Amino acid sequence: MKTGKVFLVGAGPGDVGLITVKGMEAIKQAEVILYDRLANPKLLEYATGDCELIYCGKLPDRHILRQENINDLLVEKALAGKIVVRLKGGDPGVFGRVGEEAAALALYQIPFEIVPGISSGIAAPLYAGIPVTHRDHAESFAVVTAHDKSKEGKPLLDWEGLVRGVDTIAFYMGVGNLPFICENLVNQGKPASTPVILIQWGTFGRQKTLQGTLADISEKVLKAKFTNPAIILVGEVISLREKISWFESKPLYGRQILLARTGESVSGMAQHLMDQGADVIEFPKWKKTVLPVDLKKVSSYDKILFTSPESVGEFFSAVFENGVDIRKIHADFFGASTKSVKALNDRGFIAQLAEEMPETGNLLIVGDDSILRRNSENANLMVTSKKELDFQFLPIFKRMLEEADGNTMVFPSSASVEPFIEALRESDIDTVELLKDLQVVSMGKQTMAAVEAAGLPSHGMPEKATKEALVDYLAGHLIKDV
């Protein structure tokens, strides 16, 4: 059997847009991905549907997989001929133990590549409005581990060298050792008034910061119950934050949104919300199997209704693959949503929404197997694909919920409500309990009616069912205490 290959990939600090092009290409071709806690799980959605996902997450008080087990798994999967991605938060060469993993692969002569990533020690400060160097404030920068592998976990560092030779210091994952860090820096001559900032979950929408000085930051952390994962930044350059903070000025900064999903890929709405500063968890994750279709009678219909953008692509792919001349299809095209209409428009067809469809004429409804559940006495059905819950993502979703502090729920369509509830049931999560403290927003009257009919809390809707109107609504309505 041919040996596979391993890519040791830096996932970046959290914002999925910060992964490198090469890192994303590795994810898309992977057959196995071993991923860490600090690698944004949303990156896994770019993997193929049959990719094996293995969680290697580590917490201070427990290890899911120990490093030696991770090394063994990388070797085992590669020797089985697989393309393997080891997905690590930040940059794999910065406290990522990539050297140990690469050495294990080299021992078995397994080909591998190391793909750098953006390190949290640089990215998190920038998202907080702080460049780690500045010619007026800081000409040097150091990244430092804030704990070691000793029993006490106190880092053995050249404290005198750090104070004398470095202007800006980024300590990684050091909240528990913060008093020890501050004490040693002050003892070696760093002024007690030196600015310090802690940046938790840097570059995520849930990013939080806490600012102080070497003299008072430890007490502030205790009061705020501030925890890892966090970067501790020390240096005068922090003073620039007041002038150039940009990320926290975005309209949806602080919004942690749970978005009900009906499609297989990351939605345009989710991307737009993230661009405006929100954290977005899409649920559920679906996987699809494209089915063969019978196109013999397709030219006999007066109207064709497409239930989703995906069904548009599946239909026309089948038309092409079966050698059907599109000019022989005389039907008027309709979409069940604005996204479906746009998918038709993008292919050069004038299409209208379903509510504008006349009652007369032969109707063909095109969509995935969910259309089999609808009342279609006056229409024929063409099932282009089978959509089912991707059970591999259920534990991933649970971990995402645990890490986040959700405050907003968005239902984009009435068709998203029931699948969302069913998928939560599969995850042993009670929908009402999950949403009881969240601001629940519906996209349109029909969606709100479906939400209320399901017995779920409902708090309003934007003026129009567009992603731009949704951003305006969320920015203008404070998160409710419900």
Side-chain angles (χ1 to χ4, degrees), residues 77-299:
K77 298 296 183 180
L79 290 178
K82 303 289 188 180
I83 297 175
V84 184
V85 166
R86 175 74 173 101
L87 195 60
K88 309 164 81 71
D91 179 272
V94 181
F95 310 127
R97 304 184 72 171
V98 74
E100 298 168 53
E101 295 169 355
L105 297 168
L107 182 64
Y108 287 86
Q109 298 184 323
I110 295 170
F112 66 88
E113 292 187 30
I114 301 176
V115 182
I118 298 175
S119 182
S120 300
I122 298 171
L126 281 174
Y127 269 55
I130 306 163
V132 294
T133 64
H134 188 284
R135 50 184 194 170
D136 292 334
H137 299 279
E139 295 183 343
S140 56
F141 167 63
V143 295
V144 182
T145 182
H147 61 277
D148 64 13
K149 59 183 181 180
S150 67
K151 188 175 181 180
E152 292 79 16
K154 299 286 193 287
L156 298 173
L157 303 172
D158 179 4
W159 295 102
E160 182 181 0
L162 282 175
V163 170
R164 291 180 180 274
V166 182
D167 296 318
T168 308
I169 311 170
F171 292 93
Y172 282 57
M173 303 293 280
V175 174
N177 283 332
L178 184 58
F180 177 79
I181 292 167
C182 295
E183 179 185 352
N184 278 276
L185 291 175
V186 171
N187 286 345
Q188 292 300 325
K190 202 79 167 171
S193 59
T194 302
V196 181
I197 190 169
L198 274 72
I199 309 163
Q200 182 188 64
W201 289 113
T203 80
F204 283 87
R206 58 180 177 269
Q207 173 179 301
K208 290 183 180 179
T209 57
L210 185 65
Q211 195 166 338
T213 65
L214 287 174
D216 63 15
I217 191 65
S218 295
E219 184 179 349
K220 287 185 175 182
V221 164
L222 284 175
K223 285 184 179 179
K225 298 181 180 179
F226 216 82
T227 61
N228 283 320
I231 292 292
I232 301 167
L233 200 70
V234 180
E236 296 297 335
V237 75
I238 294 170
S239 63
L240 294 172
R241 170 175 158 79
E242 293 181 10
K243 295 180 180 178
I244 61 174
S245 179
W246 62 275
F247 182 61
E248 294 166 23
S249 300
K250 289 195 169 191
L252 298 188
Y253 171 72
R255 284 280 183 179
Q256 297 187 53
I257 299 171
L258 183 55
L259 177 63
R261 173 162 55 185
T262 55
E264 295 83 46
S265 57
V266 176
S267 70
M269 179 179 291
Q271 187 60 56
H272 189 69
L273 292 171
M274 289 187 288
D275 289 344
Q276 303 306 313
D279 252 356
V280 181
I281 299 175
E282 292 188 88
F283 182 78
K285 175 73 167 60
W286 302 97
K287 60 182 180 179
K288 177 181 67 177
T289 304
V290 177
L291 303 174
V293 296
D294 184 358
L295 294 166
K296 292 176 184 176
K297 299 180 181 180
V298 72
S299 61

Side-chain angles (χ1 to χ4, degrees), residues 355 411-415 417 441-454 458-466:
E355 45 260 43
F411 287 101
S413 66
S414 57
V417 178
V441 180
S442 304
M443 297 296 284
K445 293 179 180 179
Q446 286 186 332
T447 305
M448 181 179 283
V451 168
E452 293 173 349
S458 177
H459 301 111
M461 63 181 184
E463 288 186 7
K464 297 180 180 178
T466 65

Side-chain angles (χ1 to χ4, degrees), residues 359-372:
E359 294 184 6
T360 57
N362 297 328
L363 171 63
L364 175 67
I365 300 175
V366 180
D368 61 46
D369 58 333
S370 65
I371 66 175
L372 296 173

